[in-house]
């Protein structure tokens, strides 16, 4: 059973210079549970007071069995002693890791960060390593969390990177279930909010960066966004970098600060104008590039890359030229974890990602693509690729944007939509904002003289109209929500069928 004593907690906090005061009289007192949710508290729990906290939560926690609390401030009438710390998020991460017996030490981990491509890269990697390690590869992604081989061990994720306590809970379950490796996505917010404080990775991958998550509730500046993403490299033993992205110099030197040059691998597309200061270790070129599949040639260019033994031709089961780089990143990381070329080939050819370029064919109407694209980089990549593949067909996109976060995405989405012929703006997760106002902010950046733009507030109606009015040869892209089965509206999760389910049923009817 997981447990931690007061003495162990205080040692951890002192080591990281986080302890301000302990009000507990017994250092040998053990805690049988830790929690930040007062509703889940049981007997003898250490309760974390974090986030937009109200003292009523602490009252609930005490009544449910909490015997101590940890906070950045003292609650005079708490009724239980407190441990006062400088930073509650950092403290919670450290204590959570220790409470669950440092499961990361038993779980070699590949971590991905990037503005786009994290989920697809993570799924590519899991598909490969599942061949190498008999499916015993855990996953923490934007879409799903996988901690075992049973159906109940696969659950929908709430955050790209969960709260530290939830992450270490998941890692403990994975090790208890016999999982041998972990593939995870790490968001910039995970570092901004110290959800992964103290966590170290065997391999860290920096896929790319473009302006996103910059706004009143996220990163104040692009520099802050880049800095937070670079922390993944600072906390990785081996770093893998994409030469085709921007800011490679900054990213390389962030990696080099804590990683030996022989443990830094750079990959890039052949013929790209990569920054010449850094030679590419692994080069790839596209051999086939269609609406249904890709094929790439991978070539090692340096001695350390040749040791990976990944040279060859690979088929990629997910369409989109922008997925080729993600596949190469997965090939490199998997090889570092012991995958053979045959296992890499099988994994890349057979990866499926829920809500990523899912294709639905119709008899008398257009081909429908459901994709999770929700910012400029990802939507532009999808639309640009499809337009090149079907220059004579009309490309229609249905999308919206989130409320109360990612404010800068609205301009990016509008600019990306200029790659389409027609757009239906609709509701995404508006939170407390007016979805029509969000649509207006997107539309302000669309060239409406070239892109016919319509606002339909009901998302299902917008999808239905776009698909049913499409003609043979047309392409319809439903972007943003994928398989999400709720919409966040005014503080509530309102049930929603999901883009994929709506399209699937619609295509059946057509």
């Amino acid at each position: 059973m997981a447990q931690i004593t007061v003495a162990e907690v205080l040692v951890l906090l002192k080591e990281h210079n986080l302890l301000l005061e302990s009000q507990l009289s017994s250092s040998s007192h053990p805690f049988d549970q830790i929690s930040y949710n007062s509703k889940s508290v049981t007997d003898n729990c250490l309760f974390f007071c974090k986030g937009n906290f109200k003292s009523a939560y602490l009252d609930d926690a005490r009544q449910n069995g909490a015997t101590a609390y940890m906070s950045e401030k003292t609650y005079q009438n708490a009724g239980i002693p407190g441990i006062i710390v400088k930073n509650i998020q950092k403290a919670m991460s450290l204590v959570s890791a220790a409470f669950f017996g440092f499961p990361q030490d038993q779980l070699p981990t590949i971590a991905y960060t990037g503005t786009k491509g994290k989920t697809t890269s993570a799924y590519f990697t899991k598909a490969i390593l599942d061949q190498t390690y008999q499916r015993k590869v855990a996953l923490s992604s934007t879409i799903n969390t996988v901690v075992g081989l049973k159906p109940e061990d696969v659950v929908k994720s709430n955050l790209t990177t969960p709260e530290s306590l939830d992450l270490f809970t998941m890692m403990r379950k994975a090790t208890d279930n016999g999982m041998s490796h972990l593939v995870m996505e790490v968001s910039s917010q995970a570092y901004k909010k110290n959800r992964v404080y103290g966590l170290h990775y065997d391999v860290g991958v920096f896929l790319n960066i473009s302006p996103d998550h910059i706004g009143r509730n996220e990163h104040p500046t692009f520099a802050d966004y880049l800095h937070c993403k670079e922390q993944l490299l600072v906390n990785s033993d081996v770093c893998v970098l994409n030469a085709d992205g921007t800011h490679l110099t900054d990213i390389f030197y962030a990696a080099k600060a804590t990683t030996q040059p022989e443990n830094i691998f750079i990959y890039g597309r052949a013929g790209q104008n990569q920054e010449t200061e850094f030679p590419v270790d692994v080069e790839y070129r596209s051999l086939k590039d269609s609406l249904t599949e890709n094929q790439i040639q991978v070539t090692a260019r340096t001695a350390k890359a040749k040791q990976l033994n990944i040279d060859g031709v690979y088929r990629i089961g997910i369409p989109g030229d922008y997925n080729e780089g993600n596949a190469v990143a997965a090939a490199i990381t998997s090889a570092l974890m012991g995958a053979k070329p045959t296992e890499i080939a099988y994994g890349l050819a057979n990866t499926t990602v829920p809500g990523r370029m899912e294709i639905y064919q119709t008899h008398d109407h257009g081909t429908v693509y459901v994709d999770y694209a929700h910012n400029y980089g990802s939507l532009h990549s999808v639309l640009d690729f499809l337009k090149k593949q079907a220059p004579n067909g009309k490309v229609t996109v249905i999308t919206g944007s989130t409320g109360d976060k990612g404010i800068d995405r609205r301009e990016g989405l509008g600019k990306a939509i200029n790659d389409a012929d027609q757009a239906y703006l609709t509701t995404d997760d508006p939170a407390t904002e007016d979805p029509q106002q969000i649509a207006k902010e997107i539309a302000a950046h669309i060239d409406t003289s070239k892109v016919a733009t319509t606002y339909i507030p009901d998302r299902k109606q917008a999808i239905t109209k776009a698909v049913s009015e499409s003609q043979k040869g047309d392409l319809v892209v439903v972007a943003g929500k994928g398989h999400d089965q709720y919409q966040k509206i005014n503080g509530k999760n309102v049930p929603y069928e999901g883009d994929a389910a709506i399209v699937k049923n619609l295509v059946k009817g057509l």
Side-chain angles (χ1 to χ4, degrees):
M1 185 179 83
Q3 200 177 67
I4 192 168
T5 65
V6 171
E8 289 168 332
V9 170
L10 298 184
V11 166
L12 273 174
L13 297 177
K14 287 175 183 176
E15 282 179 349
H16 290 261
N17 194 29
L18 290 170
L19 181 66
L20 291 176
E21 178 193 2
S22 172
Q23 300 167 356
L24 287 105
S25 55
S26 171
S27 62
S28 61
H29 176 77
F31 296 108
D32 298 319
Q33 188 205 22
I34 56 175
S35 178
Y36 62 85
N37 183 347
S38 60
K39 292 183 174 64
S40 69
V41 167
T42 57
D43 289 344
N44 200 22
C45 174
L46 173 61
F47 181 65
F48 300 105
C49 307
K50 61 167 282 291
N52 297 319
F53 193 76
K54 299 176 183 176
S55 57
Y57 301 155
L58 183 52
D59 293 337
D60 289 343
R62 178 180 54 78
Q63 290 171 18
N64 289 335
T67 52
Y69 71 91
M70 186 178 289
S71 173
E72 292 177 5
K73 59 178 277 190
T74 300
Y75 290 90
Q76 300 295 344
N77 301 313
I80 52 175
I83 299 172
I84 313 306
V85 297
K86 294 178 182 178
N87 186 307
I88 187 63
Q89 290 282 169
K90 289 181 178 181
M92 186 170 76
S93 185
L94 292 170
V95 172
S96 297
F99 181 82
F100 290 108
F102 302 100
Q104 66 270 32
D105 294 344
Q106 306 164 48
L107 210 57
T109 299
I110 295 170
Y112 284 97
T113 199
T115 304
K116 59 181 181 176
K118 294 188 296 295
T119 302
T120 303
S121 299
Y123 271 79
F124 275 140
T125 308
K126 176 169 166 55
I128 295 166
L129 292 180
D130 273 345
Q131 299 301 306
T132 311
Y133 296 105
Q134 294 75 51
R135 295 180 54 227
K136 293 181 179 178
V137 179
L139 176 70
S140 176
S141 80
T142 301
I143 299 173
N144 285 331
T145 298
V146 180
V147 297
L149 301 179
K150 299 175 182 176
E152 60 266 30
D153 294 328
V154 181
V155 297
K156 178 176 166 49
S157 303
N158 291 320
L159 293 167
T160 296
T161 311
E163 287 288 358
S164 57
L165 194 156
D166 300 323
L167 178 60
F168 286 110
T169 301
M170 180 273 286
M171 294 171 85
R172 180 76 268 159
K173 286 180 182 175
T175 55
D176 288 347
N177 287 335
M179 304 303 267
S180 63
H181 292 72
L182 170 65
V183 180
M184 68 181 291
E185 298 178 44
V186 181
S187 66
S188 58
Q189 285 293 296
Y191 276 106
K192 186 73 176 171
K193 298 186 176 181
N194 290 299
R195 293 184 198 142
V196 289
Y197 181 75
L199 189 59
H200 206 78
Y201 317 102
D202 294 83
V203 183
V205 187
F206 198 113
L207 295 168
N208 51 65
I209 189 164
S210 57
D212 193 32
H213 297 286
I214 299 164
R216 57 178 177 260
N217 294 328
E218 298 182 277
H219 297 281
T221 62
F222 179 80
D224 181 74
Y225 178 48
L226 175 59
H227 171 76
C228 287
K229 283 204 169 297
E230 287 174 339
Q231 299 316 298
L232 179 133
L233 301 175
V234 174
N235 290 284
S236 297
D237 291 334
V238 180
C239 298
V240 180
L241 315 178
N242 180 8
D244 301 335
T246 59
H247 299 83
L248 180 59
T249 300
D250 282 340
I251 294 163
F252 177 82
Y253 283 110
K256 192 180 175 186
T258 53
T259 304
Q260 292 288 348
E262 62 264 27
N263 288 326
I264 300 175
F265 292 83
I266 301 177
Y267 68 94
R269 187 184 294 274
Q272 290 279 89
N273 293 318
Q274 290 123 354
E275 295 182 39
T276 54
E277 185 182 350
F278 310 106
V280 170
D281 298 292
V282 178
E283 189 176 76
Y284 70 96
R285 65 179 68 247
S286 183
L287 301 179
K288 283 184 184 176
D289 180 9
S290 73
L291 287 170
T292 54
E293 69 172 9
N294 287 21
Q295 194 176 69
I296 59 171
Q297 172 102 40
V298 176
T299 307
R301 293 296 183 200
T302 61
K304 64 182 176 184
K306 287 174 183 175
Q307 292 177 7
L308 297 173
N309 191 29
I310 59 172
D311 283 33
V313 174
Y314 296 93
R315 186 174 75 81
I316 304 172
I318 303 175
D321 51 1
Y322 49 91
N323 281 319
E324 294 172 354
N326 298 331
V328 175
I332 294 169
T333 58
S334 299
L336 287 165
M337 286 292 185
K340 299 173 183 174
T342 53
E343 294 159 346
I344 295 171
Y346 182 90
L348 294 181
N350 292 280
T351 299
T352 56
V353 185
R356 285 291 194 273
M357 286 300 276
E358 292 189 11
I359 306 170
Y360 298 86
Q361 303 279 1
T362 67
H363 289 295
D364 302 310
H365 298 269
T367 301
V368 187
Y369 293 81
V370 173
D371 194 90
Y372 188 65
H374 59 282
N375 56 30
Y376 171 79
S378 53
L379 187 60
H380 168 68
S381 295
V382 170
L383 294 177
D384 180 62
F385 169 72
L386 293 178
K387 195 69 180 172
K388 289 175 183 172
Q389 295 295 322
N392 299 320
K394 184 169 73 174
V395 175
T396 299
V397 60
I398 304 100
T399 194
S401 193
T402 54
D404 296 337
K405 69 174 186 176
I407 310 300
D408 63 308
R409 288 181 191 164
R410 299 166 195 180
E411 177 180 351
L413 288 170
K415 290 178 177 177
I417 286 169
N418 287 317
D419 291 321
D421 302 296
Q422 181 173 253
Y424 289 97
L425 300 180
T426 188
T427 304
D428 190 294
D429 290 330
T432 63
E433 294 192 61
D434 176 2
Q436 186 168 12
Q437 182 57 37
I438 293 174
K440 285 180 180 176
E441 291 178 30
I442 297 171
H445 302 281
I446 300 174
D447 183 349
T448 52
S449 67
K450 296 179 180 177
V451 184
T453 306
T454 307
Y455 172 66
I456 300 177
D458 184 276
R459 192 173 179 93
K460 184 174 182 178
Q461 287 182 13
I463 295 170
T464 302
K465 183 174 175 63
V467 175
S468 60
E469 292 184 359
S470 66
Q471 306 292 316
K472 269 192 173 183
D474 290 349
L475 305 177
V476 179
V477 180
V478 184
K481 291 191 67 64
H483 286 251
D484 281 1
Q485 294 187 317
Y486 58 82
Q487 290 180 300
K488 296 177 182 178
I489 301 174
N490 293 322
K492 295 180 180 178
N493 285 341
V494 179
Y496 172 68
E497 289 177 62
D499 291 350
I502 289 171
V503 170
K504 189 175 182 180
N505 291 330
L506 191 57
V507 168
K508 278 183 184 176
L510 292 173

